[in-house]
Amino acid sequence: MLGPIAVAVVVGVLGWAYQALKPPPPKICGSRNGPPVMSPRVKLSDGRYLAYREIGAPKEEAKYKVIVIHGFDSSKDLNLPIPQELIEELKIYFLFYDRAGYGDSDPNPSRTVKNEASDIEELADRLQIGSRFYVIGVSMGAYPAWGCLRYIPHRLSGISLVVPFVHYWWHSFPSRLLREAFGKLQVTDQWTFRVAHHAPWLLYWWMTQKWFTSLSIMAGNMKIFSRGDMEIIKSCGDKINLCQEKIKHQGVHESLHRDLIAGYASWEFDPLELENPFPDNQGSVHLWQGMEDRIIPCEINQYIAQKLPWIRYHEVPNGGHLCIFESDLCVAVIRALLLG
């Protein structure tokens, strides 16, 4: 009698584990059970679609063409405070796009740093914006930007990494530096990043279980924001990202979870192995670090700037993680990138 009961218990536990670990299928835009396509899109060589948004000068007339890469839990509707006067003065064309799985862009179950850079190159080619372009990567959007520096440096006119993502398992960094920076994070965030790096197959369960918090920003923990961040949140509110309801409408796993997995996977390189993409000073690389940022510890980006003197490093003394949403700083980032 005990044998059949034991077998039934084991089968039941395995069935529960399988269901708990298996993400639901994505609700792909334009499919029968998915949300409608609400944005212009281009078709990539692998059959996926990327959604995009264009603002500023017409690309045929623009002097500068800038691709903006959004961060975690964001989209092409990132609402940067770019003054119209600046756009007209410098004749800037801005191209925002939904990274794979976000907004109206198709999911990519095989997301990596390398194919995120490939998506940017293909997007530029499909929209015929030219052989070279500028890139701004914000927060989690910095890992595709690092990918651009590694895989498509010949396509870049310049690049700016703003409050950029850092990886706590980059292999050529001092382990003590990474450990101390990692220790400054919320404990729940530390565990989430460990799971994403060491056991990505477990991340869906980890992010959806109800026993304890998995990620501070998803739980609404305001301790991760600086005083300056809180002022920006109060003044901007939902205006930081327009169409907030569309960000995850194809599934939280396809957008947020896969973003964490791709970002914290083992890379084929790390930043310290990169060479100057502009040895003849025909372009520039900028890194902007908010010194009050509680989401991205400053020590790692400071170390990158020390070891790579070709990066133009900018510290924002009172800046938090949302400092790009301060109009004066946003203008400074754009002017530094385009005008040097």
Side-chain angles (χ1 to χ4, degrees), residues 14-313:
L14 290 176
W16 171 84
Y18 177 77
Q19 291 298 325
L21 296 175
K22 182 182 178 182
K27 299 177 180 179
I28 298 176
C29 283
S31 66
R32 173 178 291 183
N33 297 318
V37 176
M38 303 293 287
S39 310
R41 308 198 299 176
V42 296
K43 188 174 183 179
L44 305 180
S45 57
D46 63 2
R48 289 183 296 116
Y49 286 88
L50 279 188
Y52 64 92
R53 177 173 70 99
E54 300 168 294
I55 68 168
K59 59 189 173 188
E60 298 81 11
E61 304 172 10
K63 183 177 181 181
Y64 301 102
K65 298 167 185 177
V66 183
I67 298 178
V68 181
I69 313 172
H70 68 79
F72 185 77
D73 198 14
S74 186
S75 74
K76 69 180 184 308
D77 297 306
L78 183 70
N79 191 24
L80 295 180
I82 306 170
Q84 184 62 30
E85 295 82 1
L86 180 67
I87 291 174
E88 294 174 358
E89 174 194 346
L90 299 181
K91 297 182 179 179
I92 314 171
Y93 162 86
F94 287 97
L95 175 59
F96 296 76
Y97 75 103
D98 288 331
R99 294 194 287 122
Y102 281 103
D104 288 349
S105 287
D106 287 347
N108 182 2
S110 303
R111 278 170 79 174
T112 64
V113 175
K114 185 174 184 178
N115 60 39
E116 288 263 357
S118 297
D119 284 358
I120 292 169
E121 183 175 32
E122 276 205 71
L123 177 67
D125 289 341
R126 294 290 187 272
L127 293 178
Q128 300 180 338
I129 69 170
S131 60
R132 288 181 177 270
F133 44 83
Y134 295 87
V135 168
I136 298 176
V138 181
S139 187
M140 197 79 175
Y143 82 76
W146 284 119
C148 290
L149 284 168
R150 171 64 177 84
Y151 298 110
I152 58 167
H154 57 289
R155 302 300 305 272
L156 302 176
S157 296
I159 193 164
S160 188
L161 304 126
V162 183
V163 294
F165 161 93
V166 295
H167 196 307
Y168 301 99
W169 293 272
W170 276 330
H171 58 268
S172 61
F173 284 67
S175 57
R176 180 177 178 180
L177 171 69
L178 297 175
R179 185 170 58 252
E180 290 179 352
F182 193 61
K184 292 186 174 183
L185 304 178
Q186 298 286 314
V187 173
T188 54
D189 296 347
Q190 293 179 32
W191 278 106
T192 295
F193 299 155
R194 287 190 184 104
V195 172
H197 179 68
H198 295 292
W201 52 271
L202 191 62
L203 189 66
Y204 172 73
W205 171 80
W206 177 261
M207 295 292 287
T208 55
Q209 50 76 30
K210 306 298 183 184
W211 299 330
F212 37 77
T213 302
S214 56
L215 194 62
S216 296
I217 196 167
M218 302 305 297
N221 183 354
M222 306 308 284
K223 292 180 180 180
I224 62 174
F225 294 112
S226 70
R227 180 180 299 178
D229 288 337
M230 292 304 299
E231 292 176 358
I232 291 170
I233 291 171
K234 289 177 182 177
S235 62
C236 296
D238 294 338
K239 295 179 182 178
I240 287 178
N241 206 102
L242 307 174
C243 305
Q244 189 79 20
E245 70 283 353
K246 289 175 55 179
I247 292 174
K248 303 182 287 287
H249 66 177
Q250 296 187 88
V252 68
H253 183 72
E254 300 303 328
S255 51
L256 307 188
H257 302 174
R258 290 201 189 280
D259 204 7
L260 291 171
I261 291 170
Y264 286 108
S266 296
W267 293 17
E268 296 179 340
F269 70 98
D270 71 32
L272 298 188
E273 298 168 349
L274 295 173
E275 297 181 354
N276 184 358
F278 308 112
D280 300 323
N281 294 320
Q282 71 273 36
S284 57
V285 179
H286 299 259
L287 194 160
W288 297 78
Q289 175 67 50
M291 299 309 292
E292 299 296 326
D293 194 334
R294 299 178 186 176
I295 295 176
I296 304 295
C298 64
E299 293 86 351
I300 297 177
N301 284 324
Q302 287 176 325
Y303 187 80
I304 291 173
Q306 292 168 7
K307 293 297 181 179
L308 301 178
W310 45 268
I311 289 182
R312 302 184 185 185
Y313 179 61

Side-chain angles (χ1 to χ4, degrees), residues 1-6:
M1 186 68 180
L2 292 178
I5 292 175

